[in-house]
Amino acid sequence: MAMVYRDFQGISLSGLGFGAMRLPVVNGNDAEINRDEAKKMVDRAMAAGINYYDTAFGYHDGNSEIVMGEALSKYSRDSYYIATKFPGYDLSNMPKVKEIFEEQLKKTGMEYFDFYLFHNVCEMNINQYLDPKYGIFDYLMEQKKNGRIKHLGFSCHGEYEVLKRFLDAYGEHMEFCQLQLNYLDWKFQKAEEKVKLLNDMNIPVWVMEPLRGGKLAKLDPLSEEELKALRPDEEIPAWAFRFLQSVKGVTMVLSGMSSMEQLDANLKTYSEDKPLNDKEMEGLMKVVDRMMSTKSVPCTACHYCVSHCPQGLDIPYLISLYNEHLYTAAAGGMTFIAPMALAAMDESKKPVSCLHCHSCEKVCPQQIKISDMMSDFVEKIG
């Protein structure tokens, strides 16, 4: 099976990157990666031509970097590119850039990182990222000079103003920017404006959440019918990738895959370039308008919120139930799934147990008003 490749500074990168945020786990425990299955997936990816692997300090409770290092260790170092990130989503890490960088090298077993990112530049941490007293930028530039970082970039979940502020400060040194980009967020999070800014500055776009945490893998029946009419042989998840193949400036598309089945489906899609034509793009945007009208909560199940909840609530799961309820109600369906799931929960794990302390909201990349959502959930179904 062929693989689509993109040029980046003379490097041939696979158009599809292997995201290590949602690796297969054991018994639903995000911290316990199924190492054997994850390594088989990496082997399959390498054999199929994927040469870019994206991990991060906090993924899978800190274990993603370890497992990815183990999985790639059998391959020659010049046969793949590995990316990881400085965890600035946690403000307590800001004074620890040297300590964390050295730990990441040790965890992965690498002597250098091909790509390294400021992780999750957003409203919560922009001041700290730009504050010279922490020395983050200077330290990372020094590592690049010393060859321990080959390419430096950043990921951004912030609004346009935050993105521009970061670029105004460091843009001339940033080689790529990783954005949450998919056909829903093209409008919902105004990603189109962010992409234009990056294009104007000639900064290549890396894509995260192309399927929005799986949300775009399956649509409502009407939307699926409309898209099938436009491309009868195209699977619904593939539309997300075809959209990205149509966006100027996109070099790398990362997909966090949890199973061999998901990997194989993405490999099939990325065996060829099939960007959307004008009619297909118009039809897809019609689907987006319908999705936005349901006013669902844009959670990607990154789980940053969970570790900050004093009640130990499984916030992404509760949001998924809330969204399911909203979607089903909007479509006139039978809204029994969420109430049934809540009825099976311990009282202490239900939305009613939310303390409205807002701790989770401070680390949410999507800037979701989680406390308000919990109140509305309680009001709707208890």
Side-chain angles (χ1 to χ4, degrees), residues 233-338:
D233 297 328
E234 198 79 87
E235 297 296 329
I236 294 302
W239 275 86
F241 298 102
R242 300 305 182 207
F243 166 77
L244 294 169
Q245 290 177 344
S246 313
V247 176
K248 179 183 176 183
V250 169
T251 298
M252 172 61 57
V253 176
L254 299 168
S255 182
M257 297 163 282
S258 304
S259 68
M260 197 70 77
E261 181 182 18
Q262 292 173 0
L263 173 58
D264 284 339
N266 287 346
L267 288 173
K268 179 181 178 182
T269 300
Y270 261 83
S271 65
E272 57 183 335
D273 256 328
K274 292 177 64 177
L276 305 179
N277 61 35
D278 290 344
K279 182 179 179 181
E280 291 165 343
M281 185 66 78
E282 182 181 348
L284 185 60
M285 289 302 105
K286 180 180 176 182
V287 168
V288 170
D289 289 339
R290 184 183 301 120
M291 293 175 72
M292 290 176 63
S293 71
T294 66
K295 299 180 180 178
S296 64
V297 176
C299 174
T300 65
C302 69
H303 285 80
Y304 294 160
C305 56
V306 175
S307 61
H308 288 71
C309 177
Q311 296 291 80
L313 299 182
D314 188 346
I315 296 171
Y317 178 59
L318 292 175
I319 291 178
S320 72
L321 291 177
Y322 180 75
N323 280 341
E324 195 284 329
H325 190 77
L326 290 182
Y327 266 111
T328 306
M334 296 177 62
T335 56
F336 65 89
I337 294 178

Side-chain angles (χ1 to χ4, degrees), residues 91-352:
L91 297 182
S92 68
N93 289 329
M94 291 300 181
K96 306 174 185 176
V97 60
K98 180 178 180 179
E99 172 188 336
I100 288 173
F101 186 80
E102 296 296 340
E103 182 180 351
Q104 289 175 302
L105 288 173
K106 184 177 180 180
K107 285 169 66 180
T108 56
M110 303 291 166
E111 294 183 355
Y112 64 89
F113 293 118
D114 301 285
F115 294 82
Y116 198 85
L117 298 83
F118 293 79
H119 197 172
N120 185 19
V121 175
C122 63
E123 285 75 5
M124 178 192 72
N125 58 26
I126 182 67
N127 290 334
Q128 287 79 5
Y129 266 143
L130 300 185
D131 193 333
K133 77 177 183 182
Y134 294 114
I136 299 170
F137 173 76
D138 290 340
Y139 179 80
L140 296 182
M141 288 296 290
E142 180 184 355
Q143 301 318 301
K144 183 180 176 185
K145 180 180 178 181
N146 294 337
R148 300 210 295 172
I149 293 174
K150 302 301 182 183
H151 302 283
L152 184 62
F154 69 107
S155 68
C156 181
H157 282 285
E159 296 289 341
Y160 178 92
E161 291 74 18
V162 169
L163 174 63
K164 189 174 188 308
R165 187 178 167 197
F166 189 84
L167 289 171
D168 286 344
Y170 300 144
E172 65 178 300
H173 302 285
M174 294 297 107
E175 299 175 72
F176 63 103
C177 173
Q178 193 162 303
L179 285 179
Q180 178 167 313
L181 179 58
N182 51 68
Y183 59 75
L184 175 59
D185 286 319
W186 191 246
K187 291 187 175 184
F188 195 83
Q189 288 197 4
K190 301 179 181 178
E192 182 178 9
E193 298 176 10
K194 300 174 186 177
V195 169
K196 184 180 185 306
L197 174 61
L198 293 167
N199 286 342
D200 289 345
M201 297 184 68
N202 295 313
I203 296 176
V205 177
W206 262 229
V207 173
M208 55 182 162
E209 302 291 359
L211 286 165
R212 220 174 198 282
K215 186 181 183 69
L216 305 182
K218 183 174 177 59
L219 305 177
D220 64 274
L222 176 58
S223 295
E224 292 198 0
E225 180 182 343
E226 290 175 349
L227 296 183
K228 283 291 185 182
L230 291 168
R231 284 195 179 187
D233 297 328
E234 198 79 87
E235 297 296 329
I236 294 302
W239 275 86
F241 298 102
R242 300 305 182 207
F243 166 77
L244 294 169
Q245 290 177 344
S246 313
V247 176
K248 179 183 176 183
V250 169
T251 298
M252 172 61 57
V253 176
L254 299 168
S255 182
M257 297 163 282
S258 304
S259 68
M260 197 70 77
E261 181 182 18
Q262 292 173 0
L263 173 58
D264 284 339
N266 287 346
L267 288 173
K268 179 181 178 182
T269 300
Y270 261 83
S271 65
E272 57 183 335
D273 256 328
K274 292 177 64 177
L276 305 179
N277 61 35
D278 290 344
K279 182 179 179 181
E280 291 165 343
M281 185 66 78
E282 182 181 348
L284 185 60
M285 289 302 105
K286 180 180 176 182
V287 168
V288 170
D289 289 339
R290 184 183 301 120
M291 293 175 72
M292 290 176 63
S293 71
T294 66
K295 299 180 180 178
S296 64
V297 176
C299 174
T300 65
C302 69
H303 285 80
Y304 294 160
C305 56
V306 175
S307 61
H308 288 71
C309 177
Q311 296 291 80
L313 299 182
D314 188 346
I315 296 171
Y317 178 59
L318 292 175
I319 291 178
S320 72
L321 291 177
Y322 180 75
N323 280 341
E324 195 284 329
H325 190 77
L326 290 182
Y327 266 111
T328 306
M334 296 177 62
T335 56
F336 65 89
I337 294 178
M340 185 170 63
L342 288 176
M345 285 184 189
D346 186 273
E347 195 70 16
S348 66
K349 300 303 179 184
K350 294 182 180 180
V352 70

Side-chain angles (χ1 to χ4, degrees), residues 1-18:
M1 187 181 295
M3 169 58 64
V4 172
Y5 288 91
R6 310 290 188 202
D7 177 73
F8 174 77
Q9 299 183 15
I11 297 172
S12 184
L13 294 177
S14 54
L16 176 66
F18 190 108

Side-chain angles (χ1 to χ4, degrees), residues 18-25 29-33 35 52-68 82-89 93 104 107-108 117-120 154-157 178-180 206-210 254-257 300-304 307 365-366:
F18 190 108
M21 179 179 174
R22 297 187 177 93
L23 296 172
V25 298
N29 181 2
D30 190 62
E32 189 177 354
I33 299 170
R35 277 174 155 79
Y52 189 96
Y53 296 83
D54 173 87
T55 183
F57 188 74
Y59 290 173
H60 288 284
D61 201 25
N63 293 314
S64 176
E65 289 178 328
I66 297 172
V67 172
M68 292 308 294
I82 187 168
T84 193
K85 314 170 185 78
F86 173 73
Y89 53 81
N93 289 329
Q104 289 175 302
K107 285 169 66 180
T108 56
L117 298 83
F118 293 79
H119 197 172
N120 185 19
F154 69 107
S155 68
C156 181
H157 282 285
Q178 193 162 303
L179 285 179
Q180 178 167 313
W206 262 229
V207 173
M208 55 182 162
E209 302 291 359
L254 299 168
S255 182
M257 297 163 282
T300 65
C302 69
H303 285 80
Y304 294 160
S307 61
Q366 313 308 320

